[in-house]
Amino acid sequence: MNQNKHHITDVAIIGSGAAGLSLALSLANHCKVTVLSKGALTEGSTLYAQGGIAAVFDKKNDSIESHVEDTLDAGGGLCDRDAVHYTASNAKKCLKWLIEQGVPFDMEFDSKGKERFHLTREGGHSHRRILHAADATGRAVQTTLISQVQAHPNITLLENYNAIDLITDKSLAKKGKHVHGLYVWNCVDKKVETIAAKFVSLATGGASKVYLYTSNPDVSSGDGIAMAWRAGCRVANMEFNQFHPTSLYHPELQNFLITEAMRGEGAYLKRPDGTRFMKDFDEREELAPRDIVARAIDFEMKRLGANCVYLDISHKDKDFIIEHFPTIYAKCLSVGLDITKEAIPVVPAAHYTCGGVMTDFNGRTDLDNLYAVGEVAYTGLHGANRMASNSLLECIVFAHAAAKDILSKIDASPALEALPLWDESRVTNSDEEIVITHNWHELRLFMWDYVGIVRSTKRLERALHRVELLQQEIHDYYANFRVTNNLLELRNLVQVAELIIRSALERKESRGLHYTIDYPEQNENPTPTILTPKSVAALQ
């Protein structure tokens, strides 16, 4: 038996990005918290978020209602208005909390010499309402929150721990729908361990690693969505995968994102011949929402047979560019590209999972004592397309809401009970790692080709057939060999891929991030796509 640790905590949080760390800090003065990080504590999507966080600080020229309307418009008629209003209404309060934690948002002086936050604008926003820390806002948020959690005596940090599965009433052969803890893979010691917890929160981020080209770090493998699904939770709107329009196209800097704020500050998208093209697709031109811009780029690349298009801000003052985009300037310069003098080659890349595990406004899922916060969750905020700089905001707003709900219940929680040990008595070490490598590549390739920016029913059906075959192969492999990090991620990715494909097949229209050539028009009165484990099981 390769298991030798049993952890006990009040709240177990799976994930160490903005959502997980904000939740931990909001709880830790009142209970014991354990935070799991699949890799290093810094490694996650939050660290790489460049643009900023949306909140109404300029009440003279902006309003919460304007933030709401912009979000609803970007969401393509599928946002939950109440969820949008709740998020926008709590935005300023949550940003002030981040400021209190020490996040160094950029400042400027007004005409009277008074210091204020520098607000930028991004695609889909009608006003300047984006607080940012240069072009590395996520890094500022992540490093600040890490310093706070590391100093808190009630927070235990488990780095290099990969969650395997939730332990529920069903796991204990009991009737009910409670979560009691989880099994985790200690990536360093190569052992399965158990965590017993009164409450568990998923804060694992999205699933963009299911695609061949992505702006996300390697850890974004849909773990929380897959675990919740296996435990019996519903998921919603998994067909809406946001492709960021502008990821750097360069062999030495793969996955490097060029922030949308660059277009907000006046950068132009151009064809290889130097002509602009966004005016041919949308009256908002470069400031159109991401789905429109990504499809426009995809269309131009396919029409011209081009490997990329170009994002050009070189017409702006050199000092302005370096001051506003120091990270991008330095990164591009490291490969010989001076963005103050030349255009940046860019392509779309899978960026954000707009659907996820269904929750209420307190982060509660279908299972008692299980919460989901951040990109892993479906709150109704994003609809058919996420508006820029609403993602980190969602993490903070719903982390605070979940913390409040958990603390209202924690004193009445029953005592923790003994959990069953992980059973690996009938498995062996694998001598076929090539199977994982091959399946991994095949999955990401056909998801990119068949379930990407532009889809068709035939492509989706072909993808579903392939994913079902892969699921069987991976299930057999998982049943016979000891777990490894790559196997766990592949198992989760193939599950999430199935959910994306089934959701896409259910939507008989084109809306937001889901565009299909077989149903190019929009339906009246659209509704979210909701999948339940029982209904999908009946189809298999």
Side-chain angles (χ1 to χ4, degrees):
M1 190 68 63
N2 202 21
Q3 172 178 319
N4 65 353
K5 280 191 179 179
H6 182 74
H7 307 265
I8 298 174
T9 189
D10 291 318
V11 184
I13 300 171
I14 311 171
S16 59
L21 298 185
S22 297
L23 178 57
L25 288 169
S26 301
L27 291 167
N29 288 339
H30 308 282
C31 61
K32 297 289 185 181
V33 180
T34 298
V35 177
L36 276 74
S37 177
K38 189 161 67 170
L41 199 59
T42 54
E43 186 64 14
S45 293
T46 295
L47 187 77
Y48 299 97
Q50 294 176 354
I53 309 177
V56 175
F57 272 69
D58 180 10
K59 290 186 176 180
K60 182 178 179 181
N61 298 302
D62 197 5
S63 67
I64 289 173
E65 193 54 39
S66 177
H67 187 181
V68 169
E69 290 303 320
D70 287 347
T71 301
L72 292 172
D73 181 58
L78 267 187
C79 298
D80 181 310
R81 177 179 278 274
D82 291 339
V84 176
H85 192 271
Y86 178 84
T87 306
S89 299
N90 284 281
K92 188 174 183 179
K93 178 177 69 175
C94 290
L95 266 291
K96 286 183 174 179
W97 178 82
L98 280 178
I99 293 163
E100 290 170 2
Q101 304 308 307
V103 177
F105 291 110
D106 283 10
M107 308 295 292
E108 65 176 0
F109 292 99
D110 63 16
S111 58
K112 298 180 180 179
K114 184 179 179 181
E115 194 173 38
R116 65 185 180 187
F117 290 107
H118 179 268
L119 303 176
T120 190
R121 183 182 173 192
E122 296 184 358
H125 291 273
S126 57
H127 299 282
R128 286 181 172 266
R129 64 169 71 98
I130 315 298
L131 274 74
H132 63 103
D135 60 347
T137 306
R139 179 174 292 274
V141 171
Q142 183 74 10
T143 54
T144 299
L145 294 180
I146 286 174
S147 67
Q148 296 287 356
V149 298
Q150 287 177 329
H152 204 293
N154 278 353
I155 299 177
T156 300
L157 299 171
L158 298 179
E159 288 187 89
N160 298 299
Y161 273 78
N162 195 349
I164 300 174
D165 268 320
L166 299 165
I167 301 174
T168 64
D169 281 333
K170 185 179 179 181
S171 312
L172 305 177
K174 295 169 60 176
K175 292 183 177 180
K177 54 175 186 174
H178 284 76
V179 168
H180 302 277
L182 63 151
Y183 293 115
V184 296
W185 173 248
N186 182 327
C187 304
V188 175
D189 294 338
K190 310 296 184 188
K191 295 178 179 178
V192 178
E193 299 173 4
T194 306
I195 299 179
K198 295 177 180 178
F199 299 89
V200 176
S201 179
L202 305 169
T204 52
S208 287
K209 197 178 175 182
V210 77
Y211 287 101
L212 187 60
Y213 302 109
T214 174
S215 65
N216 284 199
D218 282 346
V219 294
S220 300
S221 51
D223 303 332
I225 297 170
M227 282 189 293
W229 176 261
R230 288 194 294 266
C233 292
R234 292 171 299 163
V235 300
N237 279 11
M238 290 298 295
E239 69 269 38
F240 297 116
N241 307 274
Q242 187 178 80
F243 291 82
H244 196 288
T246 53
S247 179
L248 178 66
Y249 180 71
H250 194 283
E252 295 178 36
L253 277 180
Q254 294 180 12
N255 300 353
F256 184 68
L257 198 67
I258 307 298
T259 176
E260 188 156 3
M262 188 171 282
R263 300 202 311 280
E265 294 295 344
Y268 299 137
L269 281 165
K270 296 181 177 180
R271 302 179 181 96
D273 66 1
T275 58
R276 293 175 64 187
F277 59 85
M278 277 309 302
K279 61 185 177 182
D280 298 335
F281 294 90
D282 193 280
E283 62 183 10
R284 290 165 289 189
E285 299 183 351
E286 279 79 5
L287 288 176
R290 288 178 177 176
D291 58 326
I292 295 172
V293 179
R295 279 201 302 275
I297 294 173
D298 183 70
F299 179 86
E300 288 296 309
M301 287 171 58
K302 288 176 178 174
R303 182 178 72 86
L304 298 170
N307 291 323
C308 63
V309 296
Y310 293 85
L311 185 67
D312 192 357
I313 199 170
S314 63
H315 53 278
K316 291 282 188 178
D317 179 75
K318 178 178 180 178
D319 291 338
F320 172 89
I321 296 170
I322 295 173
E323 178 187 354
H324 282 77
F325 307 106
T327 304
I328 296 172
Y329 173 75
K331 277 283 190 182
C332 289
L333 203 60
S334 72
V335 293
L337 182 63
D338 187 346
I339 67 172
T340 67
K341 298 178 180 178
E342 54 192 318
I344 307 166
V346 293
V347 293
H351 183 60
Y352 194 86
T353 305
C354 287
V357 183
M358 292 189 71
T359 72
D360 63 12
F361 294 172
N362 293 310
R364 293 181 295 207
T365 70
D366 291 334
L367 295 181
D368 294 338
N369 300 348
L370 178 67
Y371 292 73
V373 181
E375 190 177 354
V376 68
Y378 166 80
T379 62
L381 171 63
H382 304 306
N385 185 18
R386 176 179 73 87
M387 188 167 70
S389 290
N390 273 349
S391 55
L392 290 177
L393 175 61
E394 181 183 37
C395 291
I396 313 303
V397 168
F398 287 94
H400 286 184
K404 184 178 179 180
D405 194 68
I406 289 170
L407 292 176
S408 72
K409 302 174 182 178
I410 200 158
D411 289 338
S413 298
L416 294 171
E417 56 185 285
L419 300 179
L421 296 175
W422 180 259
D423 182 10
E424 55 179 30
S425 59
R426 290 169 290 182
V427 297
T428 61
N429 289 323
S430 170
D431 59 356
E432 294 286 345
E433 285 291 314
I434 188 63
V435 174
I436 295 178
T437 303
H438 178 83
N439 286 353
W440 191 297
H441 180 72
E442 182 182 353
L443 172 68
R444 299 180 73 198
L445 183 61
F446 75 65
M447 286 296 291
W448 182 262
D449 288 342
Y450 300 154
V451 200
I453 296 172
V454 177
R455 302 163 176 173
S456 72
T457 301
K458 183 179 291 185
R459 291 177 202 160
L460 292 173
E461 288 173 345
R462 188 174 294 140
L464 182 60
H465 176 65
R466 285 303 308 140
V467 88
E468 287 175 338
L469 292 175
L470 277 180
Q471 280 182 314
Q472 186 58 52
E473 288 181 20
I474 294 164
H475 178 269
D476 293 344
Y477 194 98
Y478 183 80
N480 289 292
F481 297 111
R482 289 191 174 93
V483 298
T484 64
N485 218 48
N486 285 340
L487 175 57
L488 291 175
E489 288 191 340
L490 179 59
R491 176 181 178 234
N492 291 332
L493 277 176
V494 77
Q495 178 59 77
V496 171
E498 183 203 0
L499 298 176
I500 293 171
I501 297 164
R502 289 193 184 279
S503 297
L505 282 167
E506 290 224 356
R507 185 162 296 281
K508 308 297 186 186
E509 63 166 350
S510 289
R511 182 176 300 276
L513 300 166
H514 173 72
Y515 185 84
T516 170
I517 60 176
D518 294 310
Y519 302 97
E521 304 300 322
Q522 291 191 348
N523 295 334
E524 295 183 9
N525 304 315
T527 57
T529 303
I530 298 173
L531 300 181
T532 65
K534 288 183 179 179
S535 65
V536 170
L539 297 173
Q540 295 173 322

